[in-house]
Amino acid sequence: DAVDPRLAWEYGAGHVAAQALVVTAGGDPDVRATARRWLLAAPDPSAEWEYHDMRQANPTGFALQFGEQRLASDDVVVGVAQRGPVLDVAVHHPLFSAMPAEAAAHVGYLLLDNAVGEESVELWLGRVEPVTARPSGAFPLHELPTRIAAVRAEYTGPDGGLVWILLRGDGPSIVRTRVRLTPVSRPHFDTHVRVRVPYPEGPDGLPQAGPVDELAALEYHLMARVGTDGEVVAVETCRGIRTVHLYVDGSTPAADLVRSEVSDWSDGKGTVTSRRDSGWSAVQAFRMLKSAPRTLA
């Protein structure tokens, strides 16, 4: 409560230590960065304690107590439908029919958080719906990690990072973006930095060979400049303007370092703007664009 009253905490058995202390934002993007910074400031794990900022998967089975009702994970079944890089999930427990809809939704997320881990829920699950009837094609909850692993393998590269895809907007517009635009893996990257630089455009509004190399070099230098304090998540190219979207740790000088990198752009005045955006709302519109024919690692 002293750090932020929106944070939640719990403790239980650890994976490598005897006990684990978890301080979590509970899905609230506005305090995920706070929880992650708490974790980054935590001591190294010991034989007694380990620390996490998201609920961890419990592969051995578990039970949740909700009021007078006890919900065992062995009684939960789920139905899934893959939608690109995410699985939409229907969650069923026999006791859902006796709960208010809002309570069932809350418990449904807690069941998933404990079954596959809070990070996997945020990263690989899409729509989550608690249902009072057994969904078609349902399978036990403990099999869901295997389904998620298959999606993860499809959308991660050899280095374990998320793949990039090409998207096409209206007119001569191309967007290259990370496949899952969510801050869950780097919640302390809570500041959006938009870099816009002009380039000499060809007949189709896109850069020709020379400018392409220069623009690629700029992107490389930006990534090197922010280092571990930020990352490039999307790049737009349209009608003589290249826009690079970065998310950086707002408690560091990363945004100012980006400004210094762009200050002497050769083909005209580049601009850099930044604002706090813990939910990564500035790049969510890219989810509405259609994928181009090929995927980039």
Side-chain angles (χ1 to χ4, degrees):
D1 284 350
V3 176
D4 193 302
R6 294 170 294 179
L7 293 170
W9 66 273
E10 60 188 48
Y11 69 91
H15 294 295
V16 295
Q19 299 175 99
L21 173 63
V22 182
V23 173
T24 171
D28 185 341
D30 288 337
V31 285
R32 281 188 184 133
T34 302
R36 177 55 54 93
R37 291 184 180 116
W38 168 84
L39 178 64
L40 293 173
D44 292 333
S46 66
E48 293 297 321
W49 287 99
E50 62 187 65
Y51 311 96
H52 306 280
D53 64 342
M54 295 184 187
R55 292 186 177 92
Q56 301 297 291
N58 187 338
T60 61
F62 58 91
L64 296 181
Q65 192 72 30
F66 185 77
E68 299 298 320
Q69 298 169 320
R70 185 176 185 274
L71 294 85
S73 62
D74 289 343
D75 297 329
V76 180
V77 296
V78 295
V80 302
Q82 185 169 350
R83 180 167 48 89
V86 298
L87 296 174
D88 293 331
V89 180
V91 188
H92 170 70
H93 187 282
L95 292 178
F96 280 174
S97 59
M99 292 183 182
E102 184 176 346
H106 177 67
V107 172
Y109 268 103
L110 289 177
L111 289 167
L112 293 172
D113 284 348
N114 281 276
V116 304
E118 192 175 343
E119 182 171 355
S120 286
V121 169
E122 296 287 339
L123 192 56
W124 300 112
L125 301 189
R127 291 187 289 266
V128 173
E129 181 184 9
V131 293
T132 56
R134 185 184 180 93
S136 175
F139 54 86
L141 179 61
H142 65 77
E143 294 181 12
L144 184 57
T146 302
R147 304 294 182 97
I148 291 176
V151 177
R152 181 187 294 112
E154 184 178 354
Y155 287 96
T156 55
D159 62 351
L162 295 171
V163 300
W164 287 64
I165 57 174
L166 283 179
L167 305 172
R168 293 198 180 276
D170 296 332
S173 174
I174 294 179
V175 177
R176 181 165 52 89
T177 176
R178 204 180 69 170
V179 71
R180 290 291 288 140
L181 291 171
T182 168
V184 66
S185 298
R186 302 285 190 275
H188 56 309
F189 292 177
D190 58 356
T191 298
H192 175 244
V193 180
R194 179 185 282 108
V195 175
R196 300 179 83 244
V197 294
Y199 62 82
E201 57 185 301
D204 58 357
L206 301 177
Q208 297 178 327
V212 163
D213 294 338
E214 191 174 4
L215 291 167
L218 172 65
E219 187 178 332
Y220 172 81
H221 288 308
L222 291 175
M223 290 189 293
R225 197 70 165 145
V226 299
T228 58
D229 292 328
E231 62 181 330
V232 175
V233 301
V235 180
E236 296 177 80
T237 306
C238 180
R239 300 186 185 279
I241 297 294
R242 169 65 62 89
T243 304
V244 182
H245 298 268
L246 303 93
Y247 277 89
V248 303
D249 184 341
S251 68
T252 71
D256 291 332
L257 294 175
V258 170
R259 288 188 180 89
S260 67
E261 190 69 36
V262 179
S263 60
D264 58 351
W265 179 249
S266 60
D267 288 313
K269 184 174 177 59
T271 62
V272 179
T273 59
S274 63
R275 68 176 179 89
R276 190 172 188 276
D277 181 18
S278 57
W280 290 26
S281 61
V283 293
Q284 294 310 305
F286 297 146
R287 292 185 174 186
M288 306 301 293
L289 300 180
K290 292 183 178 180
S291 179
R294 61 197 181 99
T295 299
L296 303 179

